[in-house]
Each structure stands twice: as structure tokens, then as C-alpha cells.
Amino acid sequence: MMQNVHLAPETDEDDLYSGYNDYNPIYDIEELENDAAFQQAVRTSHGRRPPSKTSLASSIGRPMTGAIQDGVTRPMTAVRAAGFTKAALRGSAFDPLGQSRGPAPPLEAKKKDSPEEKIKQLEKEVNELVEESCIASSCGDLKLALEKAKDAGRKERVLVRQREQVTTPENINLDLTYSVLFNLASQYSVNEMYAEALNTYQVIVKNKMFSNAGILKMNMGNIYLKQRNYSKAIKFYRMALDQVPSVNKQMRIKIMQNIGVTFIQAGQYSDAINSYEHIMSMAPNLKAGYNLTICYFAVGDREKMKKAFQKLIAVPLEIDEDKYISPSDDPHTNLVTEAIKNDHLRQMERERKAMAEKYIMTSAKLIAPVIETSFAAGYDWCVEVVKASQYVELANDLEINKAVTYLRQKDYNQAVEILKMLEKKDSRVKSAAATNLSALYYMGKDFAQASSYADIAVNSDRYNPAALTNKGNTVFANGDYEKAAEFYKEALRNDSSCTEALYNIGLTYEKLNRLDEALDCFLKLHAILRNSAEVLYQIANIYELMENPSQAIEWLMQVVSVVPTDPQVLSKLGELYDHEGDKSQAFQYYYESYRYFPCNIEVIEWLGAYYIDTQFWEKAIQYFERASLIQPTQVKWQLMVASCFRRSGNYQKALDTYKDTHRKFPENVECLRFLVRLCTDLGLKDAQEYARKLKRLEKMKEIREQRIKSGRDGSGGSRGKREGSASGDSGQNYSAGSKGERLSARLRALPGTNEPYESSSNKEIDASYVDPLGPQIERPKTAAKKRIDEDDFADEELGDDLLPE
């Protein structure tokens, strides 16, 4: 038995890995044929009986499992997992891996109807609804975002009830509940449903299970601020401030800024000053410094204004400009510098710098007129402070603003002096100063100086769109429209958002009769300036020139929607409707134009003619009386008033009007003719006196005509032709007088007292209209036609032929 036991030699005590390569012959299956005990067990049932210690030791040569050897119990081992079962001992095949049993059965599927699975699925749906609500809100679809938030809230309440039935209340997902309620309150707020938002925030804040929910009182304060409930807004801001620990300085500063803004809107400037002074002492920033300056301006404290402006100037920007400049010629360093010149960080720094410059410039323009005895001294103080700061380049901009302020005060000499002084600065300032000088001289109609300074501005900065636009304006004023269009195009290439250049190039194309291109320019400009009345009118004007009155009317209606009280646009609409034959609409717009501006003589003339056409003589009188007040030297308005009185049957009023007109215009033949007729019909003694005056005036007129005729016959050559042409015009001018002579001869031949005043013959009054936007837009004039009885107005024709000769 001991022959198979190998003892380690004492010399190998230090060898930790000795004995691992020794081979035990008991595991040699090739010698099983010579093993008598094994062969006996195979032939008989000896192998099925429990082996004795002696036979087991003699057969396998190792101690039995659990046997005690040398006082040490051998540990028990398990053989069932290796496939040694009782069935194998009964002669079954050796199958330690259980391959004879076939494939393993599939895993048991989880039951979908189990409460746990329902809760998990419901949680997933709630999370998805919250995400969809946030995405819809970020995309601007506020209504859909609110609906999704409401659905999430409903499903979350169902989820809470199911969890309470299955598990203990401690297992409720508080984070999910918080996110659902917070999102719902946010969506209520952006949809301006402030009462619902406040109620939802109250549910979150009052729940003690939500940690750090008190910070949401700041959101509640924002809602009260939107509702202009300033006392409650400040109350909630302060409650939120108490919830923020002192280590979180940024959050505390932001809440204090909100408190300051609320005090400003409430008009409590002293309290706002306290808040902003604390902020500027703890963590100064641009917005706080700007608001502090405004507060001191509101209370009128000059010295504090200066100190606040200096604090604003001293706020550090924390921008390192040197890192964008390559210090060496290393290609790798240059590539890195080029890569970071326009990255997101650089863009953010530019925005911050632009914001700082805007705050400083606005503050300087605000306080400069009040911090010193004059605004010039105030600007000088601001310029000196800016020059001593990190914003040195803003000093020149302040000088330009100073010049612009002089322009607004109509002190052009001081403005020109400052701008000329700035011409000696660097190219950017020189270009800006020359641009303003060019515009100043252009408005003063000094086109030569305007062109000269426009050239200086363009040469200083070729990419200045304002300078190019001014240069184009000077060329436009000289009539060179093609060259002006080139300057406007170059300005647009440098700055596609230069609306002035786009507007001017549209006018240029209109002058060149390229109406399609002009319309395209104004339509592009309309896409940029949606509510610009000038652009809308230009589009209507182009359609009118293209003989499309329906489109012109449609665009003019848009102009009226933007500026409903513009009398010239209303009169233009009346003109277009009158041209289309719609007299009722034309009257409506002409009447609205007269209501807003009762001094437009063309509108007055049209309304008077309209009432004459409709035989409302009394209403026509008030318009002609208004015209006589506007043009008291024009006799035709008094004659029309008298004629309307006569036509309405008020002969006494007509006679008084004719007499008053005769006193003002004693040499007017037409007035005397009507006086003679009226006095004769009424049987008055004054008829003979007026008849003598009329005869004397007619004789003087005949003598004057004979002199003109003899002078024309005595002239010769080209001068004779010219005078002949002039005499032809003169004959046209006196055509009304000839008609009056024929009419008076006919009236003298008829009975005076029984002569009717009506006649079947008609004539037309031609009333032309002026462009609503002045001489800038030239268009063919249209005429408003009204049928007038010749008996009333044949001798009162609208023109200069009724003036004293």
C-alpha cells in the first residue's frame, strides 16, 4: 500500500514547485488489464458492493473519501455534478454532460401582466412624454409641449397609485414626480397660464420630500414680475435667496439682480441702488454696473452717476486678445491660431465685448448731458474716462455721438467742426466721420462737398456700406443712375443687410424704367422690413406704373394697415378707386384723407365736385369755402361758392357772395356778369351800375386784345413765330372769357325775370393729384372726371384765365 506513496526529500524543502511533475501510476489505464482486483470487479458483482477499506485501498491505491488517515480526515467531494449518478452504476452509458437528455428547455418568459412590468412600462411612457414635451417647447410648439406635459402628469398620477398598491410608499420614484411637475409648471409659464403655473410650483415647494425645491421660488418670483405684482415678486426672490447657500455666489448674485430689476420697474430706485451696490462690491458685472448708472440717473445724483460710470468702465472683460496673435513663424502654431480665431469661444468673447461697448456707449449718451453744465462738457468728461480705460477705441465713437447730438440740436457748425477734427484719426474713425459729413452736406443740397467726403470715406474704408451708399446718392442726384446702381450694388456686396442701399437701388431701377428689377428689389426689402410703410408704398407705386391697379390697391391697403392716418396714402387710394370707376370707395378714402388733413386742395376739389355731381349743393359749399380759406387769392373758389348758393335756390346768399367777391376782385368779368344777371332777375337797381362796370371791363379787354393782335402782326421771323405760339396759348387762356361773352349776349336777349338757371349742356372739371411721397416718385397724373352743368361753371373754369388781366 505504501509503495505508491512518495515522500518529498528533505533536500527539496526550498523548492516550492517540486512534485508537480511526478506521475501516480494509479491513473494509468493501460495497466488495468494486469490489475487483478479490477478484473475481478468487472467479472462479478463485486464492483457493485460497497468496497471495503482494504479492497478500495488495494484497488485504487488512495484513501477513501472521508477516511481518516494519519489522524486527518479527507474532505468530502461531490460527484453528482460531474455526471456520476446511480443510473450510471446500473450499466447506463457514461454521459457526464447530460447530452442524452436533449437541448435545454427555453427560458421562462416574464409575465407582462405582472404589476412590476406594468409599473416599469408606465415609467417609460412618462419619461418619453416629458422628453417630447421639452423637445416641442424648444422647437417653439408651445401648445403641443403643454399637452404632452399634461399627459405626463396624468400618467404619473396613475403610476403613483399603482406603486402604492404594490410596494411601500418609500419606493415611489420622487425624481420622476419632480421632473413631471417641474416640466408642467414650466410649460404653463411659457404659455402665459400664470395661475396654473403658480399652483404647480406651490405643489412642488410645499412637498417636504423634494430636497432643494425652495429654489423654485425664484421662478415664482419671475411669474409675479411678469404680472407686475412687484411686492410678491420681491418676496419670493428673497425667499429663494434664503434657500441658496452662501457658497453658491453666482446664483445669489443672479437672484439679487432680479430683485434690483424688480425695484427699478416698481420705481423704487433707492432700493435698487442698494441691491446693485452690493452686487458691484461682491462680484461686479456689466449688467449691474449699467443698471446702477441708470438708477443714479433716475434719482438725479450727478456725482454718483460719475462713480457708477467709472465702476462700469472698470469691470474686467477677462478676454485675452494676445492668444489670437501668432508670436512666431511656426506653421503648427499659426494653424492653431487660425483655427481658434472663429471658434465658439471667440464668438462668445466678441459678443461679450460688443455688449460691454453697447452698455458704455448708452450710459455715456445718457449721463453726458446732465453730469456737467452743458452736454459738450459732459461728453468731454466721458471721453477722458474712456481714454484712461481698456476701451480706448470707444473715445472716438463718443466724439462722433457728440457731433450727432449737435446735429439733432441743429448746431451744424459745431457738428462739422468735430467731424472734420476726426478726419485726422485712424482709417475707421476717418471713414465714419467722412460718412457723416457726406450725409450732412447731401441734406444741405451741397452735392459737390457731399461727393468729396463720400470719396474720402470710401478711400479710407472700401468696405464701408454707408460710405458707398452716400457716394451712390451723390451720383444719383446728378442723374447718372447706372453709376449710382453700381455703388449701391457694391454696398450690398459688402453688407447684404444694408437696407438703405437696397431701397435706393430699387429707386434707381425705377428711374431707368426697369420696373421688374425694381419690384424684385422692393419685394426683397419687404421680406426684411415687414412693416415698412415706405417699402409697401414703393411696391404699390411699381404696380401702378406697370398698369396693374388691382395689385397697387392691394399693397396700398397694407400701407393703410400700417399707417392708418396717412392722408396722402388715403388720397392715393381714392384716386385709384376713382380711376377704376368705383366712386363710392373713392369718396370714402378721399373723405378720410380730408378728415386727417383738411388742407389738401386737390382732395377738397374732388369732394366738392363729387357733391355737385350728386346734386348736394349745400355740402359742396363747405368744401369750396375751405378752399377759399386756403387760397384766398384764387377767385374761382368764391365763384363756386356763390354758384352753389344760386343753384340751391338761396339767391340772396348767392348775391351777397358775388358782391363780396366783386369787392375783393373788382376786375373779374365773370363775377360782374353773374351780378348783372342776378340783380336783373331780382329787379334790383344795382343791375345798371354793374352793367356799366361790365361794359367798361369788356371794352378794356377788347382794347388789350387788339394791342396784342397788332403786336403779333408787326413782328416777324422766329420772334414772330414764338409770339404767335404765345398768342395761341393766350387765346386758349381766354377761351372761358369768350364763352362768357357769348353767354352774356344770349342772356341779354332773353327775358330777365323768367329766365331759368338750368341748362342741358355739360362740361368737365379736370382735377389732377400730387404724388403722396413728393417729387421723388414720378408717375403720370390721372384725372377725376365730374359732370358739371355749363350754366353753373362754364364761366368758372378751373385755371388762371379767371385771374385779373
Side-chain angles (χ1 to χ4, degrees):
M1 176 178 176
M2 298 298 294
Q3 62 183 358
N4 295 326
V5 178
H6 300 275
L7 298 176
E10 295 180 359
T11 55
D12 296 337
E13 290 181 359
D14 297 333
D15 188 4
L16 297 177
Y17 300 98
S18 63
Y20 281 94
N21 295 327
D22 295 341
Y23 178 71
N24 193 343
I26 195 173
Y27 301 112
D28 188 4
I29 60 174
E30 295 180 357
E31 298 295 331
L32 290 178
E33 295 180 358
N34 301 325
D35 191 343
F38 179 77
Q39 293 296 330
Q40 180 66 25
V42 171
R43 294 191 192 96
T44 65
S45 60
H46 177 74
R48 298 189 181 98
R49 292 195 300 270
S52 62
K53 297 180 181 180
T54 305
S55 61
L56 181 61
S58 61
S59 61
I60 61 177
R62 64 184 179 86
M64 181 181 173
T65 300
I68 300 174
Q69 185 178 5
D70 297 334
V72 180
T73 304
R74 188 176 186 275
M76 298 291 291
T77 58
V79 295
R80 184 176 297 276
F84 296 98
T85 61
K86 295 180 180 180
L89 298 176
R90 297 190 186 98
S92 60
F94 181 74
D95 188 12
L97 300 179
Q99 296 179 359
S100 60
R101 294 195 299 267
L107 298 174
E108 183 179 357
K110 293 183 179 180
K111 295 181 180 180
K112 295 183 179 180
D113 297 335
S114 64
E116 292 79 6
E117 288 299 321
K118 288 184 179 180
I119 290 173
K120 290 182 180 180
Q121 185 64 28
L122 200 54
E123 278 187 356
K124 183 179 179 182
E125 293 177 1
V126 171
N127 281 317
E128 290 176 352
L129 285 172
V130 172
E131 290 179 2
E132 292 174 2
S133 174
C134 296
I135 292 172
S137 179
S138 63
C139 295
D141 194 350
L142 303 181
K143 185 177 180 181
L144 177 62
L146 181 59
E147 292 297 327
K148 295 288 185 182
K150 289 181 178 180
D151 292 342
R154 286 190 289 266
K155 289 193 175 183
E156 195 275 334
R157 286 192 292 271
V158 174
L159 174 62
V160 170
R161 287 194 294 268
Q162 290 187 4
R163 277 192 176 276
E164 289 176 349
Q165 295 174 1
V166 176
T167 62
T168 59
E170 291 78 8
N171 294 328
I172 295 176
N173 191 347
L174 292 178
D175 292 338
L176 181 62
T177 305
Y178 181 88
S179 63
V180 169
L181 291 175
F182 179 70
N183 179 62
L184 181 60
S186 300
Q187 300 309 324
Y188 275 134
S189 179
V190 297
N191 282 275
E192 297 182 358
M193 300 172 67
Y194 298 130
E196 292 83 354
L198 289 172
N199 292 334
T200 309
Y201 278 126
Q202 284 286 359
V203 172
I204 302 175
V205 171
K206 290 184 177 181
N207 195 332
K208 302 299 183 182
M209 300 179 68
F210 296 135
S211 60
N212 299 325
I215 193 64
L216 294 181
K217 292 181 180 179
M218 184 175 64
N219 293 10
M220 300 174 70
N222 291 340
I223 293 176
Y224 282 120
L225 181 61
K226 292 178 182 177
Q227 293 179 333
R228 300 192 177 188
N229 192 343
Y230 303 122
S231 60
K232 280 196 173 183
I234 293 172
K235 174 183 175 182
F236 276 89
Y237 284 142
R238 286 176 173 170
M239 293 169 66
L241 189 63
D242 294 337
Q243 297 289 329
V244 178
S246 58
V247 294
N248 196 345
K249 293 183 179 179
Q250 292 295 330
M251 180 62 70
R252 293 180 65 86
I253 290 298
K254 290 180 180 179
I255 296 176
M256 293 186 69
Q257 283 182 339
N258 287 1
I259 294 174
V261 170
T262 309
F263 277 129
I264 289 176
Q265 294 191 9
Q268 302 176 18
Y269 299 110
S270 59
D271 295 328
I273 287 171
N274 294 332
S275 298
Y276 287 121
E277 285 285 4
H278 179 72
I279 294 172
M280 293 301 289
S281 63
M282 297 296 294
N285 60 78
L286 294 170
K287 290 184 178 179
Y290 175 68
N291 289 335
L292 182 61
T293 307
I294 292 177
C295 291
Y296 280 127
F297 174 80
V299 298
D301 194 334
R302 295 185 177 182
E303 295 300 324
K304 293 293 182 66
M305 271 188 270
K306 292 181 179 180
K307 292 181 180 179
F309 185 73
Q310 290 172 341
K311 289 181 180 180
L312 175 61
I313 291 286
V315 172
L317 281 179
E318 299 179 355
I319 297 176
D320 185 11
E321 297 287 348
D322 296 335
K323 65 182 178 182
Y324 301 107
I325 301 174
S326 179
S328 62
D329 296 333
D330 184 15
H332 179 71
T333 306
N334 293 336
L335 287 175
V336 173
T337 304
E338 290 294 328
I340 65 174
K341 275 186 177 179
N342 291 312
D343 61 354
H344 293 292
L345 178 60
R346 179 59 171 166
Q347 293 174 6
M348 185 183 70
E349 290 176 347
R350 287 174 179 169
E351 292 175 0
R352 185 174 183 182
K353 185 176 181 181
M355 182 180 68
E357 293 177 353
K358 177 183 177 182
Y359 286 159
I360 293 171
M361 293 294 294
T362 307
S363 300
K365 289 188 288 185
L366 182 67
I367 68 174
V370 296
I371 58 177
E372 298 291 345
T373 55
S374 64
F375 89 94
Y379 264 109
D380 292 338
W381 182 87
C382 292
V383 169
E384 293 300 324
V385 173
V386 170
K387 285 182 178 179
S389 68
Q390 55 184 331
Y391 305 99
V392 181
E393 65 276 3
L394 292 182
N396 295 323
D397 295 335
L398 282 175
E399 292 284 358
I400 292 177
N401 284 332
K402 182 179 177 182
V404 172
T405 307
Y406 275 122
L407 288 177
R408 289 173 181 165
Q409 295 181 351
K410 300 186 183 302
D411 192 348
Y412 302 110
N413 295 328
Q414 289 288 345
V416 170
E417 181 180 351
I418 294 174
L419 292 173
K420 287 184 176 180
M421 181 180 63
L422 292 174
E423 284 187 84
K424 303 174 183 178
K425 302 291 183 179
D426 57 7
S427 60
R428 185 183 67 86
V429 179
K430 182 178 181 180
S431 178
T435 301
N436 289 328
L437 283 170
S438 175
L440 185 60
Y441 282 116
Y442 182 83
M443 290 186 292
K445 306 298 182 183
D446 190 348
F447 299 124
Q449 288 282 2
S451 178
S452 174
Y453 280 105
D455 290 334
I456 294 174
V458 171
N459 294 332
S460 300
D461 185 3
R462 187 69 187 183
Y463 300 99
N464 186 352
L468 292 167
T469 302
N470 285 349
K471 181 61 180 177
N473 291 343
T474 59
V475 177
F476 184 94
N478 293 328
D480 193 351
Y481 303 122
E482 292 287 353
K483 191 174 181 180
E486 293 299 324
F487 281 108
Y488 295 142
K489 289 178 182 178
E490 186 175 356
L492 285 174
R493 284 193 296 268
N494 293 334
D495 184 6
S496 59
S497 62
C498 184
T499 55
E500 295 83 359
L502 188 57
Y503 184 90
N504 291 346
I505 198 173
L507 294 178
T508 306
Y509 285 143
E510 182 183 340
K511 288 289 187 181
L512 295 171
N513 202 26
R514 294 156 63 175
L515 300 180
D516 292 332
E517 297 178 55
L519 181 62
D520 184 55
C521 290
F522 288 122
L523 288 175
K524 289 179 180 178
L525 193 58
H526 174 62
I528 301 172
L529 307 174
R530 301 296 299 180
N531 296 323
S532 174
E534 293 84 357
V535 176
L536 293 171
Y537 182 82
Q538 291 297 338
I539 296 174
N541 176 52
I542 295 296
Y543 276 118
E544 183 186 1
L545 295 177
M546 296 171 71
E547 299 181 356
N548 191 345
S550 60
Q551 283 290 334
I553 290 174
E554 180 179 347
W555 284 95
L556 281 176
M557 292 296 292
Q558 295 188 39
V559 180
V560 171
S561 67
V562 177
V563 281
T565 60
D566 191 319
Q568 293 180 333
V569 175
L570 292 169
S571 65
K572 185 62 184 178
L573 268 172
E575 177 187 338
L576 290 174
Y577 274 116
D578 184 45
H579 183 72
E580 291 293 300
D582 192 346
K583 303 297 181 184
S584 60
Q585 285 287 348
F587 170 75
Q588 176 184 351
Y589 287 107
Y590 272 122
Y591 180 77
E592 288 294 314
S593 176
Y594 173 78
R595 191 164 65 89
Y596 289 118
F597 184 66
C599 298
N600 190 332
I601 198 68
E602 289 81 8
V603 174
I604 294 172
E605 187 176 6
W606 191 95
L607 289 171
Y610 175 82
Y611 280 119
I612 289 174
D613 186 36
T614 54
Q615 299 184 358
F616 288 98
W617 316 106
E618 293 83 358
K619 290 186 176 181
I621 290 172
Q622 63 177 338
Y623 293 103
F624 292 131
E625 287 179 343
R626 169 73 67 172
S628 65
L629 292 175
I630 297 172
Q631 295 180 345
T633 59
Q634 295 288 334
V635 67
K636 58 184 177 182
W637 306 122
Q638 284 88 344
L639 293 177
M640 287 182 176
V641 171
S643 181
C644 288
F645 278 125
R646 181 169 58 86
R647 190 62 180 267
S648 63
N650 194 345
Y651 300 120
Q652 185 60 42
K653 195 71 175 176
L655 180 62
D656 294 340
T657 306
Y658 278 125
K659 287 182 178 180
D660 185 63
T661 304
H662 176 64
R663 284 194 298 270
K664 294 179 181 178
F665 303 95
E667 296 184 358
N668 187 269
V669 178
E670 313 306 327
C671 182
L672 282 172
R673 287 173 184 157
F674 282 107
L675 279 172
V676 170
R677 180 169 180 176
L678 272 176
C679 291
T680 303
D681 292 344
L682 294 176
L684 300 178
K685 297 180 180 179
D686 297 337
Q688 298 298 328
E689 180 182 356
Y690 290 127
R692 285 195 299 271
K693 291 182 180 181
L694 177 62
K695 186 175 181 181
R696 185 171 65 252
L697 285 176
E698 289 177 346
K699 186 174 182 181
M700 292 174 60
K701 184 177 180 180
E702 290 177 359
I703 294 173
R704 187 179 294 109
E705 289 179 351
Q706 290 177 359
R707 290 177 179 175
I708 294 174
K709 183 178 180 181
S710 62
R712 184 172 61 249
D713 293 339
S715 62
S718 60
R719 179 181 178 183
K721 292 181 182 180
R722 287 195 300 271
E723 291 182 355
S725 175
S727 65
D729 295 339
S730 177
Q732 292 178 2
N733 289 338
Y734 291 107
S735 61
S738 302
K739 291 179 182 178
E741 290 177 358
R742 292 194 299 270
L743 181 58
S744 95
R746 188 182 66 179
L747 292 176
R748 283 194 297 270
L750 295 174
T753 56
N754 298 326
E755 174 64 16
Y757 286 101
E758 282 74 21
S759 175
S760 60
S761 61
N762 297 318
K763 79 177 292 296
E764 296 179 349
I765 292 181
D766 189 305
S768 59
Y769 300 90
V770 180
D771 181 14
L773 290 186
Q776 175 180 290
I777 306 164
E778 298 178 1
R779 60 171 64 80
K781 295 181 180 180
T782 57
K785 304 296 183 181
K786 294 292 178 184
R787 306 295 297 182
I788 308 298
D789 289 343
E790 185 181 16
D791 178 53
D792 291 329
F793 297 102
D795 299 326
E796 302 164 10
E797 185 173 354
L798 305 180
D800 295 335
D801 49 335
L802 294 181
L803 296 176
E805 299 173 359

